[in-house]
Amino acid sequence: MNRSNLSLWISGALMLYIGWIAYDMSAPGSSSGSTTSISAVRTAKVPVLVEFYANWCGPCRIVGPVVEELSRELEGKALVIRINVDEDPKLAREHGVRGIPLFIAFKDGRETGREVGGIPKERMRELLGLLRN
């Protein structure tokens, strides 16, 4: 390589790198659609429970099946949404997630309660305002 071409090579490499970054930033992320599903919080006619979790989180893995079971039990009475904080970190930041699992309850689009940690199913029902009779 000739020394006079060195600046040309550096400029080309820099342009390629900048182009790659611009392309990468414009590509759609690997979101699980949670941003769309959380928009349901504003329009839902039933109470909504949102769980922020991560696959690597031990308490999240323990409580995950309980959340799924509750979702099936409350079908039509409440909406249960699970959001992976690794897949949607922006949404987690917007909701002030500092620890997981985090449960946030909404009614009529407004937050009505939140609790951090692996909580029992009855506590999830309490957050939703749906106690068993």
Side-chain angles (χ1 to χ4, degrees):
M1 176 164 46
N2 191 345
R3 272 189 102 142
S4 62
N5 291 340
L6 185 58
S7 64
L8 184 61
W9 279 97
I10 291 172
S11 297
L14 185 60
M15 293 297 285
L16 182 63
Y17 179 71
I18 291 170
W20 175 75
I21 289 175
Y23 171 77
D24 189 50
M25 289 177 67
S26 67
S30 61
S31 176
S32 62
S34 55
T35 304
T36 303
S37 61
I38 199 148
S39 64
V41 167
R42 291 186 282 281
T43 59
K45 303 293 183 204
V46 294
V48 180
L49 182 67
V50 179
E51 178 203 9
F52 288 92
Y53 75 100
N55 292 331
W56 50 263
C57 165
C60 299
R61 290 169 49 180
I62 291 169
V63 80
V66 176
V67 175
E68 296 291 336
E69 182 180 315
L70 182 69
S71 177
R72 288 188 298 274
E73 288 176 8
L74 297 179
E75 193 169 331
K77 298 176 193 166
L79 181 61
V80 179
I81 301 170
R82 298 189 75 216
I83 297 174
N84 188 319
V85 297
D86 291 330
E87 293 176 4
D88 208 336
K90 181 181 177 194
L91 194 58
R93 278 190 308 275
E94 288 173 2
H95 288 278
V97 176
R98 300 282 182 254
I100 53 175
L102 171 66
F103 295 90
I104 305 176
F106 295 88
K107 186 165 184 173
D108 298 323
R110 292 181 155 156
E111 183 177 329
T112 58
R114 72 171 47 205
E115 191 153 336
V116 178
I119 59 175
K121 190 184 337 180
E122 287 308 309
R123 179 62 186 134
M124 294 176 204
R125 285 178 174 277
E126 287 175 20
L127 282 170
L128 286 166
L130 299 173
L131 300 174
R132 285 196 180 185
N133 296 329

